[in-house]
Amino acid sequence: MACNACILAISFLALPFFIALAADQSPIQDFCVADTGSTVLLNGLTCKDPKHVVADDFSFGGLHLAANTSNALGCHVTPVTPSEMPGLNTLGISIIRIDYAPRGINPLHTHPRASELLIVLEGSLEVGFITSYPENRHIGKVLQKGDVFVFPIGLVHYQRNPGPTNAVAVAALSSQNPGVIMVANAVFGSTPNISSDILEKSFQINKNVIGYLQTKF
Ligand SMILES: *[C@@H]1O[C@H](CO)[C@@H](O)[C@H](O)[C@H]1NC(C)=O
Ligand SMILES: *[C@@H]1O[C@H](CO)[C@@H](O)[C@H](O)[C@H]1NC(C)=O
């Protein structure tokens, strides 16, 4: 179950019923455009006074622009969340553009709070996710321009551009704040680091390899 699942307990005939929703909570008003200047901490962002809301709060421009993919992975993610588009606040949805250089990868990662529905706009993409224990089944395929693929909430997944030209995808996520856990960075690049003894036994490889991997992240 998602860690932020909304658990609602209802007493009925003296029996407790539990309803679990694996998505953001439903809004209880038309909108709650984020007041990005507010320092109040709550589950989401505080609302701007509706009188001051404008059409631009519900809009974001620039997703047609290619991002710079000159990095070790050959991949760049451009997010559109309430920080970039305040009108998304409380709506339980967000969107990203992903640019891939030839052979670029969006490495193994998971979104703890969202399923991801991806469409390929340019080039082709090799994609996949791994089901949970004990099957750990790898479900993947190669997508062509126009193909859509869904990565179920919480599962580890990846994308790779196998082609000789750039690839572009856009993905909608079922949370305004999907979160991302990059597997390699979380395991080998945490601060402070995880003791190499724990990593050595977890991965059944020797300390030198662990030390090498830690220097990479
Ligand atoms: C892309 O990023 C690289 C690495 O940060 C940088 O050297 C390069 O100038 C950038 N290219 C453009 C067109 O901004
Ligand atoms: C891991 O943390 C320990 C203790 O802070 C430190 O001595 C060690 O250099 C760190 N190792 C790496 C690979 O960063």
Side-chain angles (χ1 to χ4, degrees):
M1 184 185 297
C3 54
N4 76 327
C6 164
I7 313 288
L8 179 63
I10 302 169
S11 277
F12 181 68
L13 295 175
L15 292 172
F17 281 71
F18 293 93
I19 300 171
L21 305 174
D24 293 356
Q25 296 176 33
S26 300
I28 51 173
Q29 52 210 335
D30 279 355
F31 51 74
C32 168
V33 172
D35 175 359
T36 49
S38 170
T39 54
V40 176
L41 302 178
L42 45 67
N43 191 19
L45 299 164
T46 54
C47 312
K48 201 163 137 172
D49 183 338
K51 287 197 291 290
H52 301 143
V53 163
V54 295
D56 281 352
D57 289 326
F58 300 93
S59 162
F60 176 87
L63 275 200
H64 62 298
L65 299 172
N68 186 342
T69 54
S70 298
N71 54 56
L73 299 169
C75 177
H76 186 276
V77 176
T78 306
V80 184
T81 69
S83 304
E84 294 79 22
M85 186 173 151
L88 283 174
N89 192 39
T90 75
L91 298 186
I93 194 167
S94 54
I95 192 167
I96 56 175
R97 171 186 167 123
I98 317 172
D99 286 276
Y100 311 83
R103 317 285 173 203
I105 64 159
N106 189 3
L108 292 169
H109 65 279
T110 168
H111 304 292
R113 292 177 288 276
S115 293
E116 174 176 354
L117 187 58
L118 175 145
I119 179 167
V120 180
L121 298 183
E122 294 296 336
S124 64
L125 283 182
E126 183 185 342
V127 303
F129 64 83
I130 317 299
T131 70
S132 57
Y133 180 87
E135 288 80 15
N136 288 143
R137 185 172 162 208
H138 180 187
I139 296 179
K141 68 173 290 186
V142 176
L143 306 176
Q144 305 300 336
K145 182 172 177 168
D147 291 350
V148 169
F149 194 84
V150 66
F151 302 99
I153 184 169
L155 300 188
V156 171
H157 60 278
Y158 65 86
Q159 299 113 32
R160 183 175 92 100
N161 174 12
T165 58
N166 291 338
V168 179
V170 165
L173 294 119
S174 62
S175 169
Q176 71 174 49
N177 184 19
V180 60
I181 299 168
M182 307 302 287
V183 175
N185 301 65
V187 171
F188 298 109
S190 67
T191 309
N193 58 32
I194 301 173
S195 124
S196 55
D197 187 48
I198 293 173
L199 292 175
E200 189 180 7
K201 289 198 172 65
S202 297
F203 291 92
Q204 300 286 303
I205 49 179
N206 78 42
K207 275 201 168 76
N208 296 337
V209 180
I210 296 291
Y212 175 72
L213 288 170
Q214 284 179 322
T215 63
K216 293 297 243 182
F217 298 95

